[in-house]
Amino acid sequence: MHDIVILGGGSGGYACALRSSQLGLSVALIEEGKLGGTCLHRGCIPTKALLHAGEVADSSRHSSDFGVNTKFIGIDILAVNAYKDGVVSKLHKGLQGLVKSRNVTYIEGHGRLVSKNEVEVNGKSILFSYSTPVAGYCEQGAFRTDEKFSVTTSKHINKYLGGKDVGRVVPQTWIEGLVA
């Protein structure tokens, strides 16, 4: 039995899991893809790595403006992609270690809310504690991103469906109320 189960191991999910654990809650984090989600593996991080490589190339073109003599020869796209993949791999490995070190139970698979205190993942049932529903719950008893502003209390909220920037802030705010 866990205090909280988080569906989705992207930036919102793992931030919520780490903070929940930090606050003394027993946490299960479920992700059907790779821990870190879209941002780490296919979005923000690889994009920023590629942008950085482009900035380095651009800086070399204008290095003489700074008294540095270099010559821009070209871009080795295979090496650029290897750099990007290395950045992603290093961050993924670090995140896996961090989640493990915080005693978050990480489960790979597709999670599905089946009742007010049960999630099914890979055909197995995972139970978690449950509090009385408050205004804003969807039919399955979990908040969705578009319902975030209809909340009337921050106490006893232990389920949230959503992601992206909102997924990082809203659950963390609610968890502070959950343990306060």
Side-chain angles (χ1 to χ4, degrees):
M1 171 82 85
H2 295 279
D3 295 319
I4 186 169
V5 172
I6 300 164
L7 298 177
S11 54
Y14 74 72
C16 186
L18 293 172
R19 182 65 178 141
S20 298
S21 175
Q22 198 174 41
L23 293 171
L25 298 172
S26 168
V27 183
L29 177 61
I30 300 167
E31 170 59 49
E32 67 181 332
K34 290 182 176 180
L35 181 61
T38 297
C39 180
L40 177 55
H41 297 282
R42 297 175 304 283
C44 313
I45 302 303
T47 300
K48 288 177 182 174
L50 293 173
L51 286 171
H52 180 65
E55 290 168 353
V56 170
D58 193 50
S59 291
S60 73
R61 287 185 192 113
H62 303 285
S63 64
S64 63
D65 296 347
F66 302 96
V68 177
N69 296 319
T70 63
K71 186 174 182 179
F72 178 74
I73 298 170
I75 294 175
D76 179 348
I77 196 65
L78 295 177
V80 169
N81 281 325
Y83 163 73
K84 169 198 52 118
D85 294 343
V87 169
V88 170
S89 179
K90 181 179 177 183
L91 293 175
H92 182 235
K93 186 175 181 176
L95 180 58
Q96 287 174 313
L98 181 61
V99 165
K100 186 176 181 177
S101 75
R102 296 281 180 88
N103 296 318
V104 171
T105 302
Y106 177 66
I107 303 164
E108 285 188 25
H110 179 78
R112 185 174 68 89
L113 189 64
V114 293
S115 75
K116 66 182 184 178
N117 64 341
E118 181 181 6
V119 168
E120 183 181 278
V121 113
N122 302 329
K124 294 181 181 177
S125 177
I126 299 172
L127 300 175
F128 56 96
S129 60
Y130 180 77
S131 300
T132 307
V134 295
Y137 268 60
C138 67
E139 289 178 19
Q140 294 81 24
F143 276 94
R144 297 184 188 279
T145 301
D146 56 357
E147 297 166 335
K148 66 191 172 294
F149 295 116
S150 64
V151 178
T152 58
T153 178
S154 64
K155 289 192 131 322
H156 310 300
I157 298 170
N158 60 358
K159 289 178 277 181
Y160 178 77
L161 301 175
K164 310 294 184 235
D165 294 328
V166 173
R168 286 190 294 270
V169 177
V170 174
Q172 184 172 339
T173 304
W174 290 343
I175 286 169
E176 298 290 342
L178 179 68
V179 248

